[in-house]
Amino acid sequence: MAVGHAHKLYRHGHSPVHGLPPHCKLAATFAFVLAVVSTPREAVWAFGAYAVLLAGVAAAARVPAGFLLRRLLIEIPFVAFAVLMPFVAEGERVDVLGLSLSVSGLWGAWNVLAKGTLGVAASVLLASTTELRALLLGLQRLKLPPLLVQIASFMIRYGDVITGELRRMSIARRSRGFEARGIRHWGVLAKTAGALFIRSYERGERVYLAMVSRGYAGSMPVIDEVAATRAQWAYAAVLPVAALAVCLMGWML
């Protein structure tokens, strides 16, 4: 399996985190997020501890704070949803700066913001220290269903191709004087989407036939076998083990 496209989240480096096998990082990130989600929302201090742990990982990976913060902007829609919760939730109300807010809504908003931000930050750190090709190999190493891995591989490989096709169609429309300025042009845009779907489907058929003619039998060959030593597993386990300890303390205190 080979996916040569470099993604924008990846930051090239030679840190100890970069050097870890991808399946170790995937397992550690999943366990960390699981611990964060399992923490009671009332344990506010625990989420601060999680943030410190992630800051330590970012420092070890030599990922600048600005690089991480800019990529956290992807969660803005969830932030907007969380901001609305205190206004629309029912139950006991409290006045904050002259606004009547729901207590349960405030806790719900905090729960979404804290856990969502930490989860996104952990995912961004994973993506910034692991190439896409390595992530797919890691998923395969963790015994994810091969079909899902192959679908992800083709999606990554041909995503840029489909985007380029859409860009060329857009240039062709503009070169003929078309500009979408209102609802009356939605029909043209719908036809564009239909044409793009047909072209993508036909391309997929051609690629599949080409693969079959070269011996494809339902599984992709693994060129690089990624293995991890006990020391690497132990190094990767530092983050989830520390997070699990924080989670348990959050339930006990």
Side-chain angles (χ1 to χ4, degrees), residues 34-127:
L34 187 62
V36 171
V37 172
S38 302
T39 304
R41 62 187 184 183
E42 292 78 11
V44 177
W45 64 270
F47 299 102
Y50 292 139
V52 171
L53 289 175
L54 288 181
V57 173
R62 304 186 186 100
V63 176
F67 179 90
L68 180 61
L69 292 175
R70 284 194 301 272
R71 280 145 184 82
L72 287 178
L73 295 178
I74 194 174
E75 68 165 342
I76 286 180
F78 298 97
V79 172
F81 171 75
V83 168
L84 292 176
M85 292 180 66
F87 296 94
V88 299
E90 299 180 352
E92 181 182 354
R93 315 291 293 186
V94 63
D95 289 332
V96 178
L97 300 178
L99 299 175
S100 179
L101 304 178
S102 167
V103 175
S104 62
L106 287 171
W107 278 115
W110 160 251
N111 193 49
V112 171
L113 285 175
K115 295 181 179 180
T117 301
L118 290 168
V120 172
S123 301
V124 170
L125 283 175
L126 172 64

Side-chain angles (χ1 to χ4, degrees), residues 112-172:
V112 171
L113 285 175
K115 295 181 179 180
T117 301
L118 290 168
V120 172
S123 301
V124 170
L125 283 175
L126 172 64
S128 62
T129 57
T130 315
E131 294 181 334
L132 278 176
R133 175 175 174 275
L135 281 174
L136 294 174
L137 290 173
L139 292 173
Q140 193 171 52
R141 185 76 179 181
L142 292 174
K143 306 301 181 183
L144 196 75
L147 181 60
L148 294 181
V149 178
Q150 291 181 47
I151 291 173
S153 174
F154 286 122
M155 179 185 69
I156 293 167
R157 180 179 294 277
Y158 289 100
D160 291 339
V161 176
I162 302 303
T163 302
E165 187 76 26
L166 181 61
R167 187 182 303 112
R168 288 191 294 272
M169 295 171 68
S170 176
I171 293 173

Side-chain angles (χ1 to χ4, degrees), residues 191-204 206:
K191 292 177 182 178
T192 300
L196 180 64
F197 173 79
I198 293 173
R199 293 185 184 185
S200 302
Y201 182 82
E202 291 176 345
R203 184 187 296 273
R206 292 195 299 269

Side-chain angles (χ1 to χ4, degrees), residues 216-227:
Y216 175 73
S219 62
M220 300 291 288
V222 179
I223 300 175
D224 298 326
E225 186 68 22
V226 183

